Amino acid sequence: MASNPFPIKTVVVLVQENRSFDHMLGWMKTLNPEINGVTGSESNPLSTADPETNRVFFGNGSLYVEPDPGHSIQEIFEQIFGVQWSQDLADKKKEAKMEGFAQNAERKMNGMSSTVMNGFKPESVPVYRELVAEFGVCDRWFAAVPASTQPNRLFVHSATSHGATSNNRRLLMEGYPQKTIFESLDEAGGKLPNYVVIEQRYFDLKILPGNDDHPSHDVFEGQKFVKEVYEALRSSPQWNEMLFIITYDEHGGFFDHVPTPVTGVPSPDGIVGPEPYNFQFDRLGVRVPTIMISPWIEKGTGN
């Protein structure tokens, strides 16, 4: 009997909040050398303008994060390119040296460079440790937009943010005009794989804490949530036809050493973002953690 060339019939997506690849999974390299993670030799200067400045080396001391590091479009510009945003600089071709994280964090608050220049030991995120070992980790998955949450979540469902480069509660409530994957699934009459999006708790409730990983929410809660979802899917009769994708909307201001693509990125629709940044959607955001989970994925896969 011939094997089914398309065994995946259900795709389940969980998009967590505001953590970079190096911050969450970088130290998994100690378990699997094939992962493009960290060794501890990675660093950032406290001032990119001063060659004599101290450098902050990337550590494995992450615990509870408070307050939230910067991750607006202008702050991410500085984190990637090492200089503060200006219209003149925005219009020039630059190299993504990933050298501005510590500098940007220190401007926000004294001592915050240590926050953004540390990641979690594998034993501190044990659910991810097991999932990375048993399934597949993607170490070339970049946020769609070098900006904050809402533009990136819009890309998840519609492959465009319709020009949005920041969080805009009014527009989110009114609704964006672009077509989403949900309309495409409906139009296909069930001919496409089932597509499920799992929503987490974005806010602390009186009896339940937030579990979306967004600082200042404790990643311990996020780990419990991911395990609950995984165990539910693993016990489902549909498990052998399923792909579970865990990813993040954007990096949340945390360091990542892999240069983000800044050339060869096509705009999805030609829409230019609003003033003063006039972003053309021609470069990506910072790398984010992504794990692919399925019985069809070989143990310890990395790509």
Side-chain angles (χ1 to χ4, degrees):
M1 183 176 179
S3 60
N4 183 358
F6 306 107
I8 302 299
K9 295 182 179 178
T10 301
V11 178
V12 180
V13 178
L14 171 62
V15 184
Q16 291 285 83
E17 286 271 309
N18 292 48
R19 306 277 178 163
S20 73
F21 185 97
D22 281 347
H23 178 66
M24 294 298 291
L25 302 182
W27 289 104
M28 299 290 176
K29 186 178 181 67
T30 60
L31 307 179
N32 181 354
E34 298 300 313
I35 294 173
N36 189 354
V38 295
T39 64
S41 63
E42 301 79 9
S43 66
N44 255 201
L46 286 174
S47 171
T48 58
D50 180 4
E52 303 299 321
T53 190
N54 290 334
R55 296 189 70 90
V56 182
F57 284 83
F58 193 75
N60 62 4
S62 270
L63 294 169
Y64 180 76
V65 174
E66 168 68 23
D68 191 18
H71 48 276
S72 63
I73 188 171
Q74 68 271 26
E75 288 172 310
I76 297 171
F77 183 94
E78 180 178 4
Q79 292 161 9
I80 292 173
F81 299 115
V83 292
Q84 292 188 64
W85 183 92
S86 73
Q87 190 63 63
D88 289 340
L89 289 173
D91 292 337
K92 295 177 181 177
K93 186 176 180 180
K94 297 164 295 300
E95 183 181 355
K97 295 184 177 181
M98 315 304 282
E99 288 260 282
F101 292 86
Q103 171 180 283
N104 176 263
E106 282 298 307
R107 182 177 298 108
K108 190 175 181 74
M109 189 180 78
N110 289 341
M112 186 177 275
S113 59
S114 176
T115 298
V116 303
M117 296 300 295
N118 266 286
F120 288 96
K121 298 176 183 177
E123 56 266 31
S124 296
V125 281
V127 176
Y128 283 171
R129 180 188 60 195
E130 295 303 314
L131 292 176
V132 166
E134 294 297 324
F135 298 101
V137 60
C138 297
D139 57 12
R140 290 286 299 173
W141 192 295
F142 297 88
V145 190
S148 49
T149 290
Q150 287 180 14
N152 281 288
R153 286 189 173 268
L154 288 166
F155 260 84
V156 169
H157 302 306
S158 60
T160 176
S161 66
H162 200 73
T165 56
S166 64
N167 296 340
N168 188 314
R169 185 173 296 180
R170 180 184 62 81
L171 286 176
L172 193 65
M173 290 189 296
E174 291 177 355
Y176 287 81
Q178 68 265 34
K179 186 178 182 179
T180 71
I181 190 172
F182 303 105
E183 280 88 22
S184 295
L185 287 166
D186 186 59
E187 291 172 2
K191 295 179 182 178
L192 294 176
N194 294 322
Y195 178 70
V196 179
V197 177
I198 298 175
E199 289 290 293
Q200 55 281 88
R201 285 192 301 274
Y202 295 101
F203 305 99
D204 290 323
L205 305 178
K206 285 187 176 180
I207 59 172
L208 292 171
N211 57 12
D212 60 351
D213 283 348
H214 192 305
S216 59
H217 297 158
D218 197 330
V219 297
F220 174 73
E221 298 296 335
Q223 291 290 283
K224 288 197 301 182
F225 177 55
V226 169
K227 186 176 189 299
E228 284 179 20
V229 174
Y230 169 74
E231 295 292 352
L233 298 178
R234 183 70 178 80
S235 62
S236 166
Q238 294 178 261
W239 173 245
N240 287 330
E241 300 175 338
M242 191 179 297
L243 171 64
F244 177 30
I245 303 173
I246 302 170
T247 189
Y248 283 69
D249 60 345
E250 40 100 353
H251 76 295
F254 294 97
F255 171 79
D256 195 86
H257 78 281
V258 175
T260 182
V262 296
T263 60
V265 178
S267 169
D269 46 24
I271 299 174
V272 176
E275 297 283 352
Y277 307 109
N278 301 307
F279 185 63
Q280 297 184 22
F281 297 89
D282 54 359
R283 54 185 174 87
L284 299 179
V286 176
R287 192 174 62 146
V288 293
T290 302
I291 305 173
M292 297 283 187
I293 301 160
S294 172
W296 296 95
I297 295 176
E298 293 184 9
K299 183 175 180 177
T301 299
N303 56 46

